[in-house]
Amino acid sequence: MPNFFTTDIHQSDMYNHVTSALEPDDICKSCSFNSKTTGKGRQQPVWRDPPGGQKYYPSYNVAPGSHTPVLISSQHYQGELDTITERVIQPMRWGLVPSWHKGDPKNVGYETNNCRAEGMLEKKTYKVPLEKGRRCLVLADGFYEWKRDQGKKQPYFIYSPQETWVKKENCDLEMKKEPIDPDQNFNVKEEEDEEETEDTERKLLMMAGVFDVWHPPDNSAPVYSYSVITVESSPVMSWIHHRMPAILTNDAEIDEWINFAEVPLRGAVQNIRPTLSLQMHPVTTAMGNSRYKSPDCVQPVDLKKPKAPVSSFMKNWLAQPKKEQNDNGLSSPTKSTSKPNLSPISQSPTKQSKSSNLMMNWLQKGKREPDEDNDSPAKKIKTCDD
């Protein structure tokens, strides 16, 4: 995609911003799967815009209340898409609105941004939609999390390990000497190319979630919304925060989670657990302000070097005590930029793996800013193979 879903959830539980900077076509490409019904091998999901004119905009800094890409089974559409695809990607509002909610859905607080796995089968807000089969995967390039140490805070960008394939003449493939992620699946299309090129396929974070559908009393367009399921952190993440999203890492886990018609809930929840397959690096504290959406939100920073001073104009703009309007009209308070963290850490950006540089190049290739005069970046229903 380029879809940079930077999640930095402003809650004590964990993150509240994500990065989702990829375009719809690239998102679909990164979510290719082995079809069980068509027998045509790997296919791509269908992209479907949310109802009511809501839009998804790629961004390096996505806050709760925005619409972000979500992967679900096509069976949720009651046969409308069954003959076209088994999976659908539809942007949904971040922050679950229960189907029985009374009043304005914008008044639902941030407490439903995340759903703790330990209580999701008991708490009505999540138990009811889960029993209806409303299981989903929240798609993101990565998320932000803050490490707190002796009164100081430093954000980190966390994402899936990436790999690079080199494509040569006659479509021979050779992998660069980089660490191998055993969970990675590659789907390299054969193309005649005399020159050596670098072929990459973004590996997104696929975070388990629960969604619900709220129908307004005036019978206008329904609101699709979701919560990200969180678990206790694995050792690779626990030094930053004690919670992390439940990330699914292979086709089998993904299919069991979204295939509600064939896999019962009690079986699907066995895949909700911490993962070790993550990479991370420190980033600028400016991303703590949801209005700051520069590409340097995800660029590695050297904590051993003093940070460059922020221009007075930018500093004053970020510090303005006004509210941000998300793409669905939700207002969310902003905070002033955090103070720089100058304390050193053992890792320096100069020693970061090539995976980090690969991600930066890919995300910037697909960067696109919202334009109120343009239509939605994707058609109502489109097949990403087109």
Side-chain angles (χ1 to χ4, degrees):
M1 44 182 168
N3 180 35
F4 194 53
F5 185 63
T6 302
T7 303
D8 171 4
I9 298 175
H10 300 295
Q11 284 182 319
S12 59
D13 188 35
M14 65 166 299
Y15 72 97
N16 64 356
H17 286 196
V18 299
T19 296
S20 186
L22 297 181
E23 299 291 341
D25 285 351
D26 296 308
I27 298 174
C28 293
K29 179 181 178 182
S30 296
C31 295
S32 62
F33 62 98
N34 287 316
S35 174
K36 296 188 299 183
T37 59
T38 64
K40 296 181 179 180
R42 294 192 74 81
Q43 294 187 335
Q44 295 178 9
V46 163
W47 178 279
R48 181 187 177 102
D49 278 339
Q54 300 295 342
K55 298 179 181 180
Y56 155 70
Y57 293 110
S59 174
Y60 288 96
N61 199 351
V62 180
S66 301
H67 278 70
T68 68
V70 173
L71 179 69
I72 60 176
S73 168
S74 62
Q75 296 182 71
H76 288 292
Y77 296 93
Q78 300 177 342
E80 179 183 350
L81 301 175
D82 287 354
T83 59
I84 302 175
T85 183
E86 298 167 27
R87 298 180 183 180
V88 176
I89 297 177
Q90 176 180 307
M92 298 185 188
R93 181 188 184 275
W94 184 7
L96 188 143
V97 179
S99 58
W100 61 86
H101 175 72
K102 304 296 183 182
D104 192 336
K106 299 175 185 176
N107 294 333
V108 176
Y110 288 159
E111 64 270 12
T112 61
N113 294 340
N114 297 332
C115 162
R116 295 176 69 94
E118 295 85 347
M120 65 181 181
L121 298 183
E122 285 78 35
K123 189 172 183 179
K124 180 182 177 182
T125 301
Y126 310 114
K127 178 182 178 181
V128 172
L130 283 172
E131 290 178 342
K132 293 179 180 179
R134 290 176 173 172
R135 311 190 304 246
C136 66
L137 286 171
V138 181
L139 308 175
D141 293 290
F143 65 92
Y144 301 111
E145 186 54 85
W146 292 82
K147 175 176 172 57
R148 292 169 171 79
D149 185 18
Q150 298 180 350
K152 297 181 179 180
K153 297 193 302 180
Q154 172 61 48
Y156 284 78
F157 177 53
I158 303 162
Y159 51 95
S160 290
Q162 306 299 315
E163 299 208 24
T164 303
W165 287 85
V166 175
K167 182 165 52 181
K168 294 185 176 181
E169 187 177 359
N170 299 325
C171 300
D172 292 333
L173 297 176
E174 174 183 330
M175 194 173 85
K176 290 185 176 182
K177 294 181 179 179
E178 298 182 18
I180 296 177
D181 173 15
D183 294 326
Q184 175 108 21
N185 291 320
F186 293 97
N187 178 27
V188 183
K189 295 183 178 179
E190 293 186 359
E191 299 177 3
E192 294 183 1
D193 192 348
E194 296 297 328
E195 299 181 359
E196 180 177 300
T197 60
E198 188 175 273
D199 191 19
T200 62
E201 181 174 309
R202 283 287 304 110
K203 184 177 183 182
L204 303 177
L205 285 181
M206 295 195 175
M207 302 177 285
V210 50
F211 76 96
D212 210 344
V213 184
W214 180 79
H215 294 272
D218 61 358
N219 294 322
S220 56
V223 175
Y224 285 74
S225 59
Y226 70 87
S227 291
V228 177
I229 297 174
T230 67
V231 295
E232 288 289 335
S233 288
S234 66
V236 73
M237 176 80 186
S238 59
W239 66 279
I240 295 180
H241 199 278
H242 67 282
R243 303 290 295 183
M244 69 182 297
I247 299 169
L248 306 188
T249 59
N250 58 61
D251 285 346
E253 293 178 351
I254 293 169
D255 184 69
E256 289 179 1
W257 183 250
I258 66 174
N259 191 359
F260 67 96
E262 297 181 10
V263 182
L265 178 59
R266 291 292 175 178
V269 296
Q270 302 304 313
N271 295 310
I272 304 301
R273 55 180 179 269
T275 182
L276 296 172
S277 185
L278 291 173
Q279 288 185 323
M280 57 201 68
H281 58 252
V283 294
T284 175
T285 56
M287 56 67 49
N289 190 311
S290 60
R291 291 188 295 167
Y292 189 79
K293 301 181 184 297
S294 169
D296 71 356
C297 281
V298 298
Q299 293 286 348
V301 298
D302 189 346
L303 300 184
K304 295 181 180 180
K305 295 181 180 180
K307 297 181 180 179
V310 179
S311 68
S312 58
F313 175 80
M314 176 66 73
K315 187 175 181 181
N316 292 335
W317 179 76
L318 291 174
Q320 291 179 12
K322 67 180 183 179
K323 297 182 179 180
E324 176 191 10
Q325 291 292 328
N326 294 309
D327 57 38
N328 65 346
L330 176 68
S331 296
S332 59
T334 59
K335 298 181 181 179
S336 60
T337 307
S338 304
K339 295 182 180 180
N341 185 344
L342 304 182
S343 60
I345 61 172
S346 58
Q347 296 181 346
S348 170
T350 59
K351 298 181 180 180
Q352 291 287 336
S353 68
K354 295 181 181 179
S355 172
S356 176
N357 294 331
L358 174 61
M359 169 167 284
M360 300 308 116
N361 294 336
W362 181 274
L363 292 174
Q364 293 185 29
K365 179 181 74 172
K367 175 63 179 166
R368 174 168 151 183
E369 292 295 336
D371 185 351
E372 293 180 356
D373 296 329
N374 291 339
D375 294 331
S376 175
K379 297 178 181 179
K380 186 67 177 178
I381 298 180
K382 67 176 291 185
T383 302
C384 298
D385 291 321
D386 294 342

